[in-house]
PDB file of all heavy atoms in Angstrom:
ATOM      1  N   GLY A   2     -76.014 124.300-170.720  1.00 98.00           N
ATOM      2  CA  GLY A   2     -75.767 122.881-170.863  1.00 98.00           C
ATOM      3  C   GLY A   2     -74.821 122.367-169.808  1.00 98.00           C
ATOM      4  O   GLY A   2     -74.553 123.028-168.803  1.00 98.00           O
ATOM      5  N   LEU A   3     -74.312 121.162-170.049  1.00 98.00           N
ATOM      6  CA  LEU A   3     -73.379 120.492-169.152  1.00 98.00           C
ATOM      7  C   LEU A   3     -71.966 120.615-169.698  1.00 98.00           C
ATOM      8  O   LEU A   3     -71.725 120.342-170.880  1.00 98.00           O
ATOM      9  CB  LEU A   3     -73.757 119.018-169.014  1.00 98.00           C
ATOM     10  CG  LEU A   3     -72.813 118.125-168.216  1.00 98.00           C
ATOM     11  CD1 LEU A   3     -72.773 118.550-166.757  1.00 98.00           C
ATOM     12  CD2 LEU A   3     -73.243 116.672-168.344  1.00 98.00           C
ATOM     13  N   VAL A   4     -71.040 121.018-168.845  1.00 98.00           N
ATOM     14  CA  VAL A   4     -69.651 121.178-169.247  1.00 98.00           C
ATOM     15  C   VAL A   4     -68.741 120.735-168.105  1.00 98.00           C
ATOM     16  O   VAL A   4     -69.110 120.835-166.931  1.00 98.00           O
ATOM     17  CB  VAL A   4     -69.369 122.641-169.657  1.00 98.00           C
ATOM     18  CG1 VAL A   4     -69.496 123.572-168.462  1.00 98.00           C
ATOM     19  CG2 VAL A   4     -68.011 122.779-170.315  1.00 98.00           C
ATOM     20  N   GLN A   5     -67.557 120.240-168.438  1.00 98.00           N
ATOM     21  CA  GLN A   5     -66.583 119.836-167.430  1.00 98.00           C
ATOM     22  C   GLN A   5     -65.892 121.042-166.821  1.00 98.00           C
ATOM     23  O   GLN A   5     -65.799 122.102-167.445  1.00 98.00           O
ATOM     24  CB  GLN A   5     -65.535 118.910-168.050  1.00 98.00           C
ATOM     25  CG  GLN A   5     -66.077 117.586-168.536  1.00 98.00           C
ATOM     26  CD  GLN A   5     -64.994 116.682-169.082  1.00 98.00           C
ATOM     27  OE1 GLN A   5     -63.801 116.971-168.961  1.00 98.00           O
ATOM     28  NE2 GLN A   5     -65.394 115.579-169.682  1.00 98.00           N
ATOM     29  N   PRO A   6     -65.408 120.921-165.585  1.00 98.00           N
ATOM     30  CA  PRO A   6     -64.617 122.009-165.010  1.00 98.00           C
ATOM     31  C   PRO A   6     -63.476 122.401-165.929  1.00 98.00           C
ATOM     32  O   PRO A   6     -62.800 121.551-166.509  1.00 98.00           O
ATOM     33  CB  PRO A   6     -64.103 121.426-163.697  1.00 98.00           C
ATOM     34  CG  PRO A   6     -65.127 120.404-163.328  1.00 98.00           C
ATOM     35  CD  PRO A   6     -65.588 119.809-164.640  1.00 98.00           C
ATOM     36  N   GLY A   7     -63.266 123.706-166.066  1.00 98.00           N
ATOM     37  CA  GLY A   7     -62.269 124.227-166.977  1.00 98.00           C
ATOM     38  C   GLY A   7     -62.770 124.474-168.383  1.00 98.00           C
ATOM     39  O   GLY A   7     -62.056 125.089-169.186  1.00 98.00           O
ATOM     40  N   GLY A   8     -63.973 124.026-168.681  1.00 98.00           N
ATOM     41  CA  GLY A   8     -64.548 124.198-169.999  1.00 98.00           C
ATOM     42  C   GLY A   8     -65.193 125.552-170.191  1.00 98.00           C
ATOM     43  O   GLY A   8     -65.141 126.424-169.319  1.00 98.00           O
ATOM     44  N   SER A   9     -65.837 125.717-171.351  1.00 98.00           N
ATOM     45  CA  SER A   9     -66.430 126.996-171.733  1.00 98.00           C
ATOM     46  C   SER A   9     -67.837 126.812-172.271  1.00 98.00           C
ATOM     47  O   SER A   9     -68.172 125.776-172.845  1.00 98.00           O
ATOM     48  CB  SER A   9     -65.584 127.675-172.814  1.00 98.00           C
ATOM     49  OG  SER A   9     -64.283 127.984-172.353  1.00 98.00           O
ATOM     50  N   LEU A  10     -68.642 127.838-172.085  1.00 98.00           N
ATOM     51  CA  LEU A  10     -69.963 127.946-172.678  1.00 98.00           C
ATOM     52  C   LEU A  10     -70.196 129.396-173.064  1.00 98.00           C
ATOM     53  O   LEU A  10     -69.631 130.302-172.444  1.00 98.00           O
ATOM     54  CB  LEU A  10     -71.066 127.513-171.715  1.00 98.00           C
ATOM     55  CG  LEU A  10     -71.230 126.032-171.400  1.00 98.00           C
ATOM     56  CD1 LEU A  10     -72.254 125.863-170.279  1.00 98.00           C
ATOM     57  CD2 LEU A  10     -71.672 125.256-172.633  1.00 98.00           C
ATOM     58  N   ARG A  11     -71.042 129.615-174.062  1.00 98.00           N
ATOM     59  CA  ARG A  11     -71.481 130.953-174.412  1.00 98.00           C
ATOM     60  C   ARG A  11     -72.998 131.013-174.371  1.00 98.00           C
ATOM     61  O   ARG A  11     -73.682 130.290-175.106  1.00 98.00           O
ATOM     62  CB  ARG A  11     -70.990 131.376-175.801  1.00 98.00           C
ATOM     63  CG  ARG A  11     -71.306 132.855-176.103  1.00 98.00           C
ATOM     64  CD  ARG A  11     -70.832 133.307-177.459  1.00 98.00           C
ATOM     65  NE  ARG A  11     -71.648 132.747-178.531  1.00 98.00           N
ATOM     66  CZ  ARG A  11     -71.611 133.160-179.797  1.00 98.00           C
ATOM     67  NH1 ARG A  11     -70.769 134.132-180.144  1.00 98.00           N
ATOM     68  NH2 ARG A  11     -72.372 132.585-180.707  1.00 98.00           N
ATOM     69  N   LEU A  12     -73.525 131.880-173.510  1.00 98.00           N
ATOM     70  CA  LEU A  12     -74.955 132.110-173.415  1.00 98.00           C
ATOM     71  C   LEU A  12     -75.361 133.249-174.333  1.00 98.00           C
ATOM     72  O   LEU A  12     -74.631 134.234-174.478  1.00 98.00           O
ATOM     73  CB  LEU A  12     -75.360 132.454-171.984  1.00 98.00           C
ATOM     74  CG  LEU A  12     -74.946 131.471-170.892  1.00 98.00           C
ATOM     75  CD1 LEU A  12     -75.506 131.928-169.548  1.00 98.00           C
ATOM     76  CD2 LEU A  12     -75.399 130.060-171.214  1.00 98.00           C
ATOM     77  N   SER A  13     -76.534 133.123-174.935  1.00 98.00           N
ATOM     78  CA  SER A  13     -77.088 134.164-175.787  1.00 98.00           C
ATOM     79  C   SER A  13     -78.490 134.506-175.318  1.00 98.00           C
ATOM     80  O   SER A  13     -79.238 133.637-174.872  1.00 98.00           O
ATOM     81  CB  SER A  13     -77.146 133.717-177.248  1.00 98.00           C
ATOM     82  OG  SER A  13     -75.859 133.454-177.763  1.00 98.00           O
ATOM     83  N   CYS A  14     -78.849 135.766-175.450  1.00 97.00           N
ATOM     84  CA  CYS A  14     -80.178 136.246-175.098  1.00 97.00           C
ATOM     85  C   CYS A  14     -80.608 137.218-176.180  1.00 97.00           C
ATOM     86  O   CYS A  14     -80.011 138.288-176.325  1.00 97.00           O
ATOM     87  CB  CYS A  14     -80.160 136.919-173.729  1.00 97.00           C
ATOM     88  SG  CYS A  14     -81.708 137.695-173.240  1.00 97.00           S
ATOM     89  N   THR A  15     -81.617 136.841-176.935  1.00 96.00           N
ATOM     90  CA  THR A  15     -82.124 137.658-178.029  1.00 96.00           C
ATOM     91  C   THR A  15     -83.478 138.231-177.642  1.00 96.00           C
ATOM     92  O   THR A  15     -84.362 137.506-177.194  1.00 96.00           O
ATOM     93  CB  THR A  15     -82.239 136.843-179.320  1.00 96.00           C
ATOM     94  OG1 THR A  15     -80.939 136.375-179.705  1.00 96.00           O
ATOM     95  CG2 THR A  15     -82.791 137.702-180.453  1.00 96.00           C
ATOM     96  N   ALA A  16     -83.639 139.533-177.832  1.00 91.00           N
ATOM     97  CA  ALA A  16     -84.814 140.250-177.368  1.00 91.00           C
ATOM     98  C   ALA A  16     -85.673 140.734-178.523  1.00 91.00           C
ATOM     99  O   ALA A  16     -85.175 141.027-179.615  1.00 91.00           O
ATOM    100  CB  ALA A  16     -84.404 141.446-176.519  1.00 91.00           C
ATOM    101  N   SER A  17     -86.958 140.838-178.252  1.00 89.00           N
ATOM    102  CA  SER A  17     -87.875 141.512-179.151  1.00 89.00           C
ATOM    103  C   SER A  17     -87.839 143.014-178.880  1.00 89.00           C
ATOM    104  O   SER A  17     -87.263 143.472-177.891  1.00 89.00           O
ATOM    105  CB  SER A  17     -89.291 140.978-178.963  1.00 89.00           C
ATOM    106  OG  SER A  17     -89.776 141.261-177.659  1.00 89.00           O
ATOM    107  N   GLY A  18     -88.459 143.783-179.746  1.00 76.00           N
ATOM    108  CA  GLY A  18     -88.560 145.210-179.543  1.00 76.00           C
ATOM    109  C   GLY A  18     -87.543 146.008-180.337  1.00 76.00           C
ATOM    110  O   GLY A  18     -86.497 145.491-180.742  1.00 76.00           O
ATOM    111  N   ARG A  19     -87.839 147.282-180.514  1.00 74.00           N
ATOM    112  CA  ARG A  19     -86.991 148.174-181.293  1.00 74.00           C
ATOM    113  C   ARG A  19     -86.157 149.118-180.439  1.00 74.00           C
ATOM    114  O   ARG A  19     -85.412 149.929-180.977  1.00 74.00           O
ATOM    115  CB  ARG A  19     -87.855 148.991-182.253  1.00 74.00           C
ATOM    116  CG  ARG A  19     -88.589 148.173-183.289  1.00 74.00           C
ATOM    117  CD  ARG A  19     -89.421 149.052-184.194  1.00 74.00           C
ATOM    118  NE  ARG A  19     -90.150 148.266-185.181  1.00 74.00           N
ATOM    119  CZ  ARG A  19     -89.684 147.949-186.376  1.00 74.00           C
ATOM    120  NH1 ARG A  19     -88.478 148.342-186.742  1.00 74.00           N
ATOM    121  NH2 ARG A  19     -90.418 147.231-187.209  1.00 74.00           N
ATOM    122  N   THR A  20     -86.274 149.034-179.107  1.00 79.00           N
ATOM    123  CA  THR A  20     -85.564 149.922-178.207  1.00 79.00           C
ATOM    124  C   THR A  20     -84.525 149.196-177.376  1.00 79.00           C
ATOM    125  O   THR A  20     -84.146 149.660-176.308  1.00 79.00           O
ATOM    126  CB  THR A  20     -86.548 150.659-177.281  1.00 79.00           C
ATOM    127  OG1 THR A  20     -87.321 149.710-176.546  1.00 79.00           O
ATOM    128  CG2 THR A  20     -87.464 151.559-178.096  1.00 79.00           C
ATOM    129  N   PHE A  21     -84.021 148.069-177.867  1.00 86.00           N
ATOM    130  CA  PHE A  21     -83.045 147.264-177.147  1.00 86.00           C
ATOM    131  C   PHE A  21     -81.832 148.076-176.715  1.00 86.00           C
ATOM    132  O   PHE A  21     -81.310 147.896-175.610  1.00 86.00           O
ATOM    133  CB  PHE A  21     -82.614 146.092-178.031  1.00 86.00           C
ATOM    134  CG  PHE A  21     -81.579 145.200-177.421  1.00 86.00           C
ATOM    135  CD1 PHE A  21     -81.946 144.154-176.591  1.00 86.00           C
ATOM    136  CD2 PHE A  21     -80.230 145.394-177.682  1.00 86.00           C
ATOM    137  CE1 PHE A  21     -80.999 143.310-176.039  1.00 86.00           C
ATOM    138  CE2 PHE A  21     -79.271 144.564-177.139  1.00 86.00           C
ATOM    139  CZ  PHE A  21     -79.658 143.521-176.313  1.00 86.00           C
ATOM    140  N   SER A  22     -81.381 148.977-177.559  1.00 89.00           N
ATOM    141  CA  SER A  22     -80.131 149.679-177.324  1.00 89.00           C
ATOM    142  C   SER A  22     -80.154 150.613-176.122  1.00 89.00           C
ATOM    143  O   SER A  22     -79.093 151.011-175.639  1.00 89.00           O
ATOM    144  CB  SER A  22     -79.723 150.470-178.576  1.00 89.00           C
ATOM    145  OG  SER A  22     -80.682 151.461-178.879  1.00 89.00           O
ATOM    146  N   ILE A  23     -81.323 150.977-175.615  1.00 90.00           N
ATOM    147  CA  ILE A  23     -81.404 151.921-174.505  1.00 90.00           C
ATOM    148  C   ILE A  23     -81.250 151.252-173.145  1.00 90.00           C
ATOM    149  O   ILE A  23     -81.092 151.943-172.134  1.00 90.00           O
ATOM    150  CB  ILE A  23     -82.722 152.724-174.529  1.00 90.00           C
ATOM    151  CG1 ILE A  23     -83.912 151.854-174.112  1.00 90.00           C
ATOM    152  CG2 ILE A  23     -82.944 153.345-175.901  1.00 90.00           C
ATOM    153  CD1 ILE A  23     -85.206 152.629-173.949  1.00 90.00           C
ATOM    154  N   TYR A  24     -81.304 149.938-173.093  1.00 93.00           N
ATOM    155  CA  TYR A  24     -81.315 149.225-171.819  1.00 93.00           C
ATOM    156  C   TYR A  24     -79.923 148.800-171.383  1.00 93.00           C
ATOM    157  O   TYR A  24     -79.068 148.464-172.202  1.00 93.00           O
ATOM    158  CB  TYR A  24     -82.198 147.974-171.905  1.00 93.00           C
ATOM    159  CG  TYR A  24     -83.649 148.275-172.146  1.00 93.00           C
ATOM    160  CD1 TYR A  24     -84.206 148.106-173.413  1.00 93.00           C
ATOM    161  CD2 TYR A  24     -84.464 148.714-171.112  1.00 93.00           C
ATOM    162  CE1 TYR A  24     -85.544 148.383-173.632  1.00 93.00           C
ATOM    163  CE2 TYR A  24     -85.800 148.988-171.332  1.00 93.00           C
ATOM    164  CZ  TYR A  24     -86.338 148.819-172.587  1.00 93.00           C
ATOM    165  OH  TYR A  24     -87.664 149.090-172.808  1.00 93.00           O
ATOM    166  N   THR A  25     -79.718 148.812-170.070  1.00 96.00           N
ATOM    167  CA  THR A  25     -78.635 148.042-169.491  1.00 96.00           C
ATOM    168  C   THR A  25     -79.038 146.571-169.504  1.00 96.00           C
ATOM    169  O   THR A  25     -80.138 146.227-169.060  1.00 96.00           O
ATOM    170  CB  THR A  25     -78.341 148.485-168.056  1.00 96.00           C
ATOM    171  OG1 THR A  25     -77.838 149.820-168.072  1.00 96.00           O
ATOM    172  CG2 THR A  25     -77.308 147.579-167.403  1.00 96.00           C
ATOM    173  N   MET A  26     -78.159 145.725-170.026  1.00 96.00           N
ATOM    174  CA  MET A  26     -78.419 144.294-170.120  1.00 96.00           C
ATOM    175  C   MET A  26     -77.540 143.556-169.123  1.00 96.00           C
ATOM    176  O   MET A  26     -76.365 143.890-168.955  1.00 96.00           O
ATOM    177  CB  MET A  26     -78.152 143.778-171.526  1.00 96.00           C
ATOM    178  CG  MET A  26     -78.990 144.453-172.604  1.00 96.00           C
ATOM    179  SD  MET A  26     -80.771 144.186-172.369  1.00 96.00           S
ATOM    180  CE  MET A  26     -80.853 142.386-172.443  1.00 96.00           C
ATOM    181  N   GLY A  27     -78.110 142.559-168.482  1.00 97.00           N
ATOM    182  CA  GLY A  27     -77.359 141.822-167.486  1.00 97.00           C
ATOM    183  C   GLY A  27     -77.643 140.338-167.510  1.00 97.00           C
ATOM    184  O   GLY A  27     -78.644 139.883-168.072  1.00 97.00           O
ATOM    185  N   TRP A  28     -76.714 139.599-166.914  1.00 98.00           N
ATOM    186  CA  TRP A  28     -76.897 138.180-166.642  1.00 98.00           C
ATOM    187  C   TRP A  28     -76.877 137.968-165.135  1.00 98.00           C
ATOM    188  O   TRP A  28     -75.959 138.430-164.443  1.00 98.00           O
ATOM    189  CB  TRP A  28     -75.805 137.331-167.299  1.00 98.00           C
ATOM    190  CG  TRP A  28     -75.928 137.236-168.784  1.00 98.00           C
ATOM    191  CD1 TRP A  28     -75.280 137.990-169.714  1.00 98.00           C
ATOM    192  CD2 TRP A  28     -76.758 136.323-169.506  1.00 98.00           C
ATOM    193  NE1 TRP A  28     -75.651 137.603-170.977  1.00 98.00           N
ATOM    194  CE2 TRP A  28     -76.562 136.583-170.883  1.00 98.00           C
ATOM    195  CE3 TRP A  28     -77.646 135.321-169.127  1.00 98.00           C
ATOM    196  CZ2 TRP A  28     -77.220 135.869-171.882  1.00 98.00           C
ATOM    197  CZ3 TRP A  28     -78.301 134.608-170.125  1.00 98.00           C
ATOM    198  CH2 TRP A  28     -78.082 134.888-171.477  1.00 98.00           C
ATOM    199  N   TYR A  29     -77.896 137.295-164.636  1.00 98.00           N
ATOM    200  CA  TYR A  29     -78.008 136.900-163.241  1.00 98.00           C
ATOM    201  C   TYR A  29     -78.000 135.384-163.157  1.00 98.00           C
ATOM    202  O   TYR A  29     -78.282 134.697-164.141  1.00 98.00           O
ATOM    203  CB  TYR A  29     -79.303 137.434-162.623  1.00 98.00           C
ATOM    204  CG  TYR A  29     -79.351 138.934-162.441  1.00 98.00           C
ATOM    205  CD1 TYR A  29     -79.447 139.792-163.528  1.00 98.00           C
ATOM    206  CD2 TYR A  29     -79.322 139.496-161.161  1.00 98.00           C
ATOM    207  CE1 TYR A  29     -79.506 141.166-163.361  1.00 98.00           C
ATOM    208  CE2 TYR A  29     -79.391 140.865-160.984  1.00 98.00           C
ATOM    209  CZ  TYR A  29     -79.481 141.695-162.086  1.00 98.00           C
ATOM    210  OH  TYR A  29     -79.543 143.062-161.907  1.00 98.00           O
ATOM    211  N   ARG A  30     -77.694 134.861-161.972  1.00 98.00           N
ATOM    212  CA  ARG A  30     -77.752 133.425-161.790  1.00 98.00           C
ATOM    213  C   ARG A  30     -78.303 133.090-160.413  1.00 98.00           C
ATOM    214  O   ARG A  30     -78.186 133.871-159.469  1.00 98.00           O
ATOM    215  CB  ARG A  30     -76.386 132.763-161.985  1.00 98.00           C
ATOM    216  CG  ARG A  30     -75.345 133.126-160.939  1.00 98.00           C
ATOM    217  CD  ARG A  30     -73.990 132.551-161.321  1.00 98.00           C
ATOM    218  NE  ARG A  30     -72.965 132.873-160.340  1.00 98.00           N
ATOM    219  CZ  ARG A  30     -71.668 132.630-160.506  1.00 98.00           C
ATOM    220  NH1 ARG A  30     -71.239 132.052-161.628  1.00 98.00           N
ATOM    221  NH2 ARG A  30     -70.807 132.954-159.549  1.00 98.00           N
ATOM    222  N   GLN A  31     -78.899 131.911-160.319  1.00 98.00           N
ATOM    223  CA  GLN A  31     -79.462 131.439-159.066  1.00 98.00           C
ATOM    224  C   GLN A  31     -79.230 129.944-158.951  1.00 98.00           C
ATOM    225  O   GLN A  31     -79.687 129.172-159.788  1.00 98.00           O
ATOM    226  CB  GLN A  31     -80.953 131.749-158.972  1.00 98.00           C
ATOM    227  CG  GLN A  31     -81.565 131.429-157.624  1.00 98.00           C
ATOM    228  CD  GLN A  31     -82.948 132.021-157.464  1.00 98.00           C
ATOM    229  OE1 GLN A  31     -83.627 132.311-158.452  1.00 98.00           O
ATOM    230  NE2 GLN A  31     -83.374 132.219-156.228  1.00 98.00           N
ATOM    231  N   ALA A  32     -78.506 129.548-157.917  1.00 97.00           N
ATOM    232  CA  ALA A  32     -78.280 128.150-157.603  1.00 97.00           C
ATOM    233  C   ALA A  32     -79.308 127.696-156.571  1.00 97.00           C
ATOM    234  O   ALA A  32     -79.840 128.523-155.816  1.00 97.00           O
ATOM    235  CB  ALA A  32     -76.868 127.943-157.076  1.00 97.00           C
ATOM    236  N   PRO A  33     -79.596 126.395-156.495  1.00 93.00           N
ATOM    237  CA  PRO A  33     -80.569 125.907-155.517  1.00 93.00           C
ATOM    238  C   PRO A  33     -80.215 126.333-154.101  1.00 93.00           C
ATOM    239  O   PRO A  33     -79.073 126.181-153.656  1.00 93.00           O
ATOM    240  CB  PRO A  33     -80.504 124.390-155.677  1.00 93.00           C
ATOM    241  CG  PRO A  33     -80.066 124.187-157.093  1.00 93.00           C
ATOM    242  CD  PRO A  33     -79.101 125.316-157.367  1.00 93.00           C
ATOM    243  N   GLY A  34     -81.187 126.895-153.394  1.00 94.00           N
ATOM    244  CA  GLY A  34     -80.980 127.345-152.032  1.00 94.00           C
ATOM    245  C   GLY A  34     -80.318 128.692-151.888  1.00 94.00           C
ATOM    246  O   GLY A  34     -80.157 129.170-150.756  1.00 94.00           O
ATOM    247  N   ASN A  35     -79.924 129.311-152.995  1.00 96.00           N
ATOM    248  CA  ASN A  35     -79.244 130.600-152.955  1.00 96.00           C
ATOM    249  C   ASN A  35     -80.117 131.705-153.529  1.00 96.00           C
ATOM    250  O   ASN A  35     -81.064 131.452-154.270  1.00 96.00           O
ATOM    251  CB  ASN A  35     -77.931 130.542-153.738  1.00 96.00           C
ATOM    252  CG  ASN A  35     -76.897 129.647-153.099  1.00 96.00           C
ATOM    253  OD1 ASN A  35     -77.001 129.300-151.925  1.00 96.00           O
ATOM    254  ND2 ASN A  35     -75.894 129.267-153.871  1.00 96.00           N
ATOM    255  N   GLN A  36     -79.768 132.942-153.201  1.00 96.00           N
ATOM    256  CA  GLN A  36     -80.430 134.096-153.793  1.00 96.00           C
ATOM    257  C   GLN A  36     -79.910 134.338-155.205  1.00 96.00           C
ATOM    258  O   GLN A  36     -78.787 133.956-155.542  1.00 96.00           O
ATOM    259  CB  GLN A  36     -80.201 135.340-152.938  1.00 96.00           C
ATOM    260  CG  GLN A  36     -80.867 135.301-151.575  1.00 96.00           C
ATOM    261  CD  GLN A  36     -80.706 136.601-150.825  1.00 96.00           C
ATOM    262  OE1 GLN A  36     -79.659 137.247-150.891  1.00 96.00           O
ATOM    263  NE2 GLN A  36     -81.749 137.000-150.107  1.00 96.00           N
TER     264      GLN A  36
END
């Protein structure tokens, strides 16, 4: 969502499957024009 500088957000990612615990989980980001 939209937040002011200095503010906070919490992202959540819920997965299907019964083998979730075996994976390394990560968060990536991509801004316009960037990798």
Side-chain angles (χ1 to χ4, degrees):
L3 174 65
V4 66
Q5 295 183 9
S9 297
L10 287 172
R11 187 180 72 167
L12 306 184
S13 298
C14 174
T15 298
S17 64
R19 297 180 181 270
T20 58
F21 178 86
S22 63
I23 73 173
Y24 296 103
T25 294
M26 301 298 300
W28 288 96
Y29 291 70
R30 66 187 180 188
Q31 187 167 23
N35 293 343
Q36 293 185 322

